[in-house]
Amino acid sequence: MDINLIIAFVLGVLIGSFLNVVIIRIPKDESIVFGGSHCVKCNHKLQPWHNIPLFSWLFLRGKCAYCKAPISIQYPIVELLSALIFVTIANKYGLSFASFSIAMSFLMLLALSVIDFKYKMIPDSLNLLAIVFALFGAWSIQGFINNFENALLFTGGFTLLRFALSYYLTSSVHRAGLKTKTPWNKNYDRTPFIEAMGEGDIMVAATMGALLGVQLGLVAIFLSALLALPVMLLLIGRSAEEQRVPYVPFLALATFIVFLYDSQIMDYLKANY
């Protein structure tokens, strides 16, 4: 096996271990720097050998060494996915500052996906880091400028899309409400403003633009919709809260897939459009 891929795997799994700390603590507004690792159930301080990425979870059989409470399988999954992301990027571009930045941007998207899935929130700090790493995923000054321009284009595009969809949804609700107006409430308009898209999604779009460019970024958006469609269909008839599907995981997965097969997708687009 290529030594570079081994280095990438080790680096990825180590950063992935710290990424778990970020995923657990940021939504709770806890410091990711101060305070040693501890069991989230009994708060007992963990020993160094309890924090070996991947292996500790296996050796402990998924249970705390002290209180025997189950340890979430999220920990080894995030560590393994982080390692695979680093290996994939290193295999595609080799080891360099640019490839490291690209891999770190995808790791931020991974953290955002898990947090969005568990807590339905998108921390701005991780979103900004994802954008910054994506901008520096370039091999020249001109590449950095192109990444920055693409990030701005996608930010502006998603902002306009958000405004248009929100206006349409709010207007639809307002028109439906007019049918129930009476002489007693005709001068009162309590139609809520419906947000079609969160600001966090717009920042994720900026990262997608920086990583993929305009054409591939649009392909990734279309692919994310296809990936989310089966989940949306399964939730038809559920409560409004249950139908609130976290969308960042689909955006992140689509971005990674398109990034991996960028050459093949561009060849197909040039041949057919």
Side-chain angles (χ1 to χ4, degrees), residues 7-243:
I7 295 173
F9 183 89
V10 173
L11 185 61
V13 80
L14 290 174
I15 297 176
S17 180
F18 179 71
L19 202 64
N20 274 314
V21 176
V22 172
I23 292 170
I24 294 297
R25 296 191 183 186
I26 283 185
K28 298 178 180 179
D29 201 25
E30 297 178 357
S31 172
I32 61 173
V33 178
F34 300 102
S37 298
H38 57 274
C39 173
V40 295
K41 293 293 192 302
C42 65
N43 288 322
H44 199 290
K45 184 178 179 180
L46 301 182
Q47 300 298 324
W49 54 87
H50 295 151
N51 281 323
I52 302 174
L54 293 179
F55 294 105
S56 289
W57 190 89
L58 294 174
F59 292 153
L60 294 172
R61 298 181 181 179
K63 296 181 181 180
C64 173
Y66 302 101
C67 68
K68 304 304 179 184
I71 301 173
S72 173
I73 198 172
Q74 167 199 309
Y75 292 92
I77 289 177
V78 168
E79 291 164 356
L80 182 59
L81 287 177
S82 299
L84 292 178
I85 288 172
F86 261 81
V87 169
T88 303
I89 301 302
N91 186 56
K92 186 177 179 70
Y93 292 118
L95 292 180
S96 65
F97 177 77
S99 59
F100 174 80
S101 295
I102 292 170
M104 286 300 298
S105 183
F106 278 115
L107 256 61
M108 295 304 104
L109 290 178
L110 173 60
L112 287 168
S113 298
V114 177
I115 293 174
D116 191 25
F117 180 78
K118 291 183 65 175
Y119 305 101
K120 292 182 180 177
M121 63 178 293
I122 308 174
D124 290 339
S125 56
L126 295 180
N127 237 336
L128 288 171
L129 277 176
I131 296 173
V132 170
F133 282 125
L135 292 176
F136 283 98
W139 281 263
S140 65
I141 298 297
Q142 185 59 47
F144 175 87
I145 295 173
N146 291 339
N147 289 350
F148 187 69
E149 290 176 347
N150 292 330
L152 290 179
L153 284 172
F154 265 63
T155 301
F158 261 62
T159 301
L160 290 174
L161 180 63
R162 175 197 185 196
F163 173 79
L165 291 176
S166 299
Y167 174 78
Y168 173 77
L169 292 174
T170 303
S171 299
S172 299
V173 173
H174 176 70
R175 286 193 297 270
L178 290 177
K179 299 177 182 179
T180 63
K181 289 287 186 179
T182 68
W184 297 99
N185 64 6
K186 63 180 182 180
N187 294 321
Y188 296 92
D189 183 11
R190 296 184 178 181
T191 304
F193 183 75
I194 301 175
E195 289 282 6
M197 186 184 304
E199 294 180 358
D201 296 324
I202 295 175
M203 294 175 68
V204 172
T207 301
M208 295 173 66
L211 287 171
L212 300 175
V214 175
Q215 288 180 298
L216 291 175
L218 294 175
V219 172
I221 292 172
F222 177 72
L223 178 58
S224 69
L226 292 180
L227 293 173
L229 182 60
V231 178
M232 301 292 190
L233 293 176
L234 288 173
L235 295 177
I236 291 178
R238 302 287 185 91
S239 66
E241 180 62 27
E242 289 178 316
Q243 290 185 15

